Amino acid sequence: MSFKSGFVTLIGRPNVGKSTLANQLVGQKLAIISDKPQTTRNKIRMVLNLPDAQIIFLDTPGIHKPKHKLGEHLVELAVSTLKKEVDVVCFLVEASEMPGKGDKYILKQIEGIKTPVFLVINKIDMISKLKLIEVIDKYSKLYDFSEVIPVSALTGENTQKLVELIVQYLPEGPKYYPEGEVTDLPESFIIAELIREKVLYFTKDEVPHSVFVTVDDIEKKSNNLVVVMATIYVERDSQKAILIGKNGNMLKKIGQLARQEIEALFGTRIYLDLWVKAKKDWRNREEYFKSADF
Ligand code: GDP
Ligand code: MG
């Protein structure tokens, strides 16, 4: 039997569930999930190994109209992924919403590409069958999709069917990544994103997207201990105060949960040394995110 392999991009508005789906498909928590849009700033590459195929998923930041420099950079990243060689584009939408401006904007970006585009209707656990038919109908009028697949990234419903369909569209090809490798992101990036996820989780809306984490040092000590130095950047002193909290309690909570997850992910003991700094308006200063490998 022949072996198939290829690249699949997951695109869609922020928050439709791209990272959740990537995690569900690959079965490991490596893309960062949050209920706030724009958590995934980088292209995340995840590999799914099957007996007769290898699928490489590219989880891109949501495409949307940019509001600032960082936004522009993110849109560029997402669109460039589409234009490069991929074998299948999965366009994710939410089952509970009819096509809106954001979805139409994305469809316009992909108009005319030769790559097959799947419409993946996510979060079907939240709606009725009747409503689903209506959503499928509305989207189908906007674009000539190669396949339409309703799924729930959260429960896993129908996601195997999605995998089967993708494989049908893949060309014969080699195993691009050795078995056992699920991501090619540097561990510093994964750790920074995990910390960022916890910041967003604990601070709710008080610390908005203007948060940025750098991993400054990773030092492997003896007896299975790794010391990680990281800095959380915010824009204002008031946000810094919120992040640190009374007697440093907030920072402690963030650090504890982040540490536990990093330990689980990498299977080693972690000492996490977390700092908070206020740096004004970093979002509009290109050098910050460029130098941090965004
Ligand atoms: P992304 O911005 O497109 O990567 O979206 P995320 O994967 O970060 O998910 C955004 C939010 O939607 C999170 O709170 C997820 O738990 C939630 N979510 C994702 N998929 C599903 C789903 O199938 N059903 C439900 N009910 N929630 C989901
Ligand atoms: Mg995401």
Side-chain angles (χ1 to χ4, degrees), residues 22 42 52 59 88-89 95 100 122 145 157 164 177-178 200 205 211 219-220 225 230 236-237 240 243 249 265 273 283:
N42 216 323
D52 52 355
D59 174 17
V88 175
V89 173
N122 189 30
F145 296 107
E157 191 181 347
E164 282 164 28
Y177 292 85
L200 295 180
D205 288 324
V211 68
E219 203 184 320
K220 295 188 171 81
L225 179 73
R236 286 192 292 276
D237 285 330
K240 179 177 166 178
L243 263 186
N249 276 339
L265 195 61
D273 199 2
R283 262 189 295 188

Side-chain angles (χ1 to χ4, degrees), residues 182-198:
V182 285
T183 179
D184 63 353
L185 279 175
E187 54 194 13
S188 60
F189 175 78
I190 295 170
I191 291 171
E193 282 291 276
L194 270 174
I195 296 169
R196 224 169 73 81
E197 181 187 47
K198 300 309 165 224

